[in-house]
Amino acid sequence: MDYLIAYWPLALVGVLVGLLLIFLLFRGRQRVTLTDSAPVRPHMTAQPKSSFGTKRQSVDADVIRTDAEPTRVRGPESFLHEAGPPDDLVKLKGIGPKLAAVLNSHGLTRFDQIAKLSPSQVADLDESLGAFRGRLTRDLVIEQADYLARGDVDGFEQRFGKL
């Protein structure tokens, strides 16, 4: 009995935590079933299967245009077809796997290609980026690509943080 008198605040907290756990485990949950007459919103439609294989690398259908031929960046086509291995565009701050896949579909696979884009080409490309519209200018992707295309990793890290 002395223990209960000495530790009554701790016992009260224990009882309250126990009651909270019981409430959370046994509370009623709302069950929702859709009927044929329920309105279908865009996020409820079935997404087409991706050919990338894994969910992490999949690209949403509303992000990439579904034309038979992906839209290429307008302007001088010479730098789009330069020889060289593709760079890992995900190293650029603000570019994830989905946006990198979108840029690859537009023919941009290397840092030097992105760094050479003119402001009008960036504007044209930005129009076709869907959910990623504005990301190239907001995250200074062109400037980041310029640093990495020149191999200036120290300058990149000084300006934008760790690579």
Side-chain angles (χ1 to χ4, degrees):
M1 193 66 168
D2 292 333
Y3 291 115
L4 188 57
I5 294 173
Y7 296 109
W8 71 268
L10 190 59
L12 181 64
V13 169
V15 169
L16 290 176
V17 167
L19 290 174
L20 180 66
L21 285 175
I22 289 172
F23 171 75
L24 291 175
L25 289 175
F26 295 110
R27 69 181 170 171
R29 290 190 175 85
Q30 182 180 6
R31 306 277 187 233
V32 176
T33 56
L34 296 178
T35 63
D36 292 336
S37 64
V40 177
R41 296 188 175 97
H43 70 279
M44 301 166 101
T45 60
Q47 296 292 326
K49 294 287 183 183
S50 173
S51 62
F52 288 99
T54 63
K55 185 175 180 179
R56 183 171 187 261
Q57 294 176 342
S58 68
V59 178
D60 293 340
D62 59 342
V63 173
I64 294 182
R65 296 166 51 136
T66 57
D67 300 337
E69 180 68 26
T71 306
R72 299 264 179 205
V73 177
R74 291 187 215 142
E77 299 291 324
S78 61
F79 65 87
L80 290 178
H81 301 291
E82 291 177 4
D87 291 322
D88 185 14
L89 299 181
V90 179
K91 289 182 179 178
L92 298 170
K93 309 287 183 184
I95 299 214
K98 290 183 181 182
L99 182 53
V102 172
L103 292 175
N104 287 337
S105 74
H106 288 286
L108 298 169
T109 60
R110 291 193 331 277
F111 299 133
D112 59 336
Q113 292 173 324
I114 296 172
K116 291 179 185 178
L117 291 175
S118 69
S120 63
Q121 289 172 325
V122 171
D124 289 341
L125 178 62
D126 196 45
E127 289 293 320
S128 65
L129 289 184
F132 300 113
R133 184 172 291 142
R135 177 82 55 97
L136 298 178
T137 54
R138 183 178 63 238
D139 293 334
L140 303 173
V141 170
I142 308 302
E143 188 176 346
Q144 292 180 53
D146 184 48
Y147 277 103
L148 294 178
R150 290 181 285 141
D152 187 7
V153 176
D154 291 334
F156 177 90
E157 289 182 346
Q158 188 177 26
R159 175 96 162 90
F160 299 105
K162 269 304 219 196
L163 184 61

